[in-house]
Amino acid sequence: MNIRPSRMIERLPEQKFGTVFEKIAQKKQNGANILNLGQGNPDLPTPAHIVSALQDSADTLQFQQYAPFRGFDFFKHAIVDFYYREFGAVIDPDKEIALFNGGKTGLYVMSQCLLDPGDIALVPDPGYPEYHSGILMADAKPYCIKLDENNGYLPDLSSIESGVLNKAKVLFLNYPNNPTGAVANDAFFEEAAAFAAAHELHVIHDFAYGSFHYGQKPVSFMNAPLGKSVGVELYSLSKTFNMAGWRVAFAVGNEEIIHAINAFQDHVFVSMYGGFQQAATIALQSDETHIQSLKEVYAERMDFFIRQAARKLGWVIERPAGAFYLWAPIPDDFKDSHAFADYLLDEADVVVTPGGVFGANGRHHVRISMVAPLEQLALFIDRLTILPIRFQQKTRI
């Protein structure tokens, strides 16, 4: 029998991380000691009190049964309290929250709920590649907006052609930004929300790194005067609480969008395991000590790596204002980020993410994740010192 996958499967973009993972696995089989700074995979453990909450919940009969389709009220109230305490935003627990089994699932679901075939979705470039996956699943079309360093890696919304805007329905934003580490302020979010309202765009603000601002108080899109009128914000516990493997995320914001999300998920998922909701509640109710100490760890790692790269390699890397990535320029001797990343893996057994994975405007950078202790960051630098690479940069156009 000839198996013919659906056209949706054929539309899916190449999973660009998969090839790298296969190469890493092959090198490990051959005995290589791989140092992986390519994934945004927190190396620190989930705090013990959160783990204990999950362990305790395993014996709870209520959590062994199906959870309410749209989540337990206690979790949603914890989200409301956390959002007000952390970001100063007011959220309605009954109408303005939707739960997801991970942020990536949330991105997929929201694209299905907001996009029709032929619609255009505006996406940042460089930007998280999974935005494209959900868009293409919906048979819509992504349109890339260049993020320019000279503009603080904020999109110039006025540069979008009128013909594109006429067909555009969704605008993706992401601050603190993956991969650049750029942050946005209240003025930009106010401008973006007003722009979306004027052009009837739905905003999806990916806030996965929301608590990781280093020089200012975290800024939520929900605080923009028109924020809730035009969009939703996606928050994940993966980074803030070292819970990447737990797959716990949620969206807050516009009541109609949240209703559409919940209506869709009622047919696809049976909510989230109650034990995860209980443990996530404990996480959100934690005091600020954990978040502050985690930011200090990442800040120390970034500062250390930047100093060592400059001193030992002559590699000048700007310190980001948010997230926990370094957006590092590649040496001039390499044609693009893929060539540089492949070279580092082949010759030094170290992994970075090619900036080209995040779009055409990332082709002259690599993303380096600060998800390793100082000793391993030092080893990363030492492995590069023996390579014949000239890191001094010319100005690239």
Side-chain angles (χ1 to χ4, degrees):
M1 178 178 176
N2 183 26
I3 304 299
R4 299 181 61 185
S6 70
R7 291 177 182 174
M8 184 274 287
I9 296 297
E10 295 175 354
R11 288 196 302 270
L12 289 178
E14 176 188 2
Q15 180 49 268
K16 297 179 181 179
F17 292 107
T19 303
V20 177
F21 294 157
E22 291 175 6
K23 195 169 185 178
I24 292 172
Q26 183 62 48
K27 288 183 72 75
K28 285 184 175 180
Q29 287 181 359
N30 295 331
N33 178 19
I34 302 294
L35 182 53
N36 189 348
L37 299 184
Q39 287 180 277
N41 191 14
D43 62 303
L44 297 171
T46 306
H49 68 287
I50 302 173
V51 176
S52 294
L54 176 63
Q55 292 170 334
D56 293 342
S57 68
D59 287 331
T60 302
L61 177 60
Q62 182 184 28
F63 298 153
Q64 295 166 359
Q65 300 169 334
Y66 290 128
F69 272 31
R70 301 184 180 189
F72 285 104
D73 287 342
F74 64 76
F75 183 29
K76 288 187 280 188
H77 282 282
I79 291 170
V80 169
D81 292 342
F82 174 79
Y83 240 73
Y84 184 75
R85 185 178 72 249
E86 186 75 0
F87 310 118
V90 177
I91 306 298
D92 185 327
D94 299 317
K95 300 178 180 179
E96 296 179 348
I97 297 176
L99 308 183
F100 299 118
N101 291 297
K104 187 173 177 179
T105 299
L107 292 171
Y108 156 74
V109 168
M110 288 188 284
S111 288
Q112 311 318 300
C113 292
L114 295 175
L115 292 168
D116 288 313
D119 285 342
I120 288 178
L122 307 172
V123 296
D125 182 356
Y128 186 43
E130 297 302 334
Y131 302 146
H132 292 255
S133 301
I135 294 166
L136 294 172
M137 286 180 191
D139 202 11
K141 302 179 185 301
Y143 177 89
C144 294
I145 310 173
K146 181 179 181 180
L147 302 187
D148 194 316
E149 181 179 6
N150 294 325
N151 194 41
Y153 291 112
L154 298 173
D156 179 3
L157 299 175
S158 65
S159 69
I160 305 170
E161 301 171 4
S162 59
V164 173
L165 280 175
N166 290 337
K167 293 184 178 181
K169 193 175 179 184
V170 170
L171 168 64
F172 283 87
L173 298 174
N174 169 217
Y175 295 98
N177 181 259
N178 173 20
T180 68
V183 301
N185 57 22
D186 287 317
F188 171 75
F189 281 149
E190 182 173 349
E191 173 194 343
F195 180 88
H199 296 283
E200 297 186 342
L201 297 171
H202 304 85
V203 175
I204 298 174
H205 180 226
D206 180 0
F207 206 32
Y209 302 89
S211 294
F212 293 98
H213 289 61
Y214 298 105
Q216 65 181 55
K217 182 176 174 59
V219 179
S220 166
F221 183 74
M222 293 296 99
N223 282 329
L226 296 176
K228 284 188 186 180
S229 298
V230 298
V232 292
E233 190 161 73
L234 176 66
Y235 193 90
S236 168
L237 276 68
S238 294
K239 318 299 183 182
T240 309
F241 297 100
N242 301 328
M243 294 172 66
W246 297 53
R247 315 308 302 140
V248 178
F250 56 86
V252 299
N254 182 273
E255 179 180 340
E256 294 179 67
I257 297 177
I258 293 297
H259 176 75
I261 291 169
N262 283 327
F264 178 90
Q265 294 202 125
D266 285 349
H267 293 276
V268 181
F269 307 111
V270 187
S271 191
M272 180 189 299
Y273 170 51
F276 287 160
Q277 294 187 56
Q278 176 64 32
T281 295
I282 297 301
L284 295 177
Q285 291 174 341
S286 305
D287 62 32
E288 297 181 358
T289 303
H290 163 73
I291 295 177
Q292 185 57 38
S293 63
L294 190 59
K295 288 198 294 186
E296 290 173 359
V297 167
Y298 286 130
E300 180 185 26
R301 291 176 177 182
M302 288 190 293
D303 290 341
F304 174 82
F305 192 97
I306 290 170
R307 287 196 307 270
Q308 293 298 305
R311 184 171 69 85
K312 293 189 174 183
L313 300 171
W315 195 5
V316 179
I317 303 171
E318 294 293 326
R319 191 185 194 279
F324 51 69
Y325 302 116
L326 298 182
W327 189 233
I330 67 171
D332 294 324
D333 293 341
F334 294 85
K335 66 176 183 177
D336 59 33
S337 60
H338 289 281
F340 181 55
D342 287 344
Y343 177 80
L344 293 184
L345 179 56
D346 291 338
E347 301 299 326
D349 291 337
V350 299
V351 181
V352 297
T353 305
V357 166
F358 302 98
N361 292 305
R363 64 188 180 278
H364 294 312
H365 289 75
V366 292
R367 191 193 73 177
I368 307 173
S369 302
M370 297 291 96
V371 291
L374 298 182
E375 296 78 12
Q376 292 189 35
L377 298 181
L379 178 59
F380 180 103
I381 296 292
D382 288 344
R383 289 186 182 182
L384 268 60
T385 60
I386 64 175
L387 300 176
I389 303 176
R390 295 176 298 168
F391 280 95
Q392 290 79 7
Q393 306 297 308
K394 301 185 183 75
T395 300
R396 290 184 182 268
I397 304 297

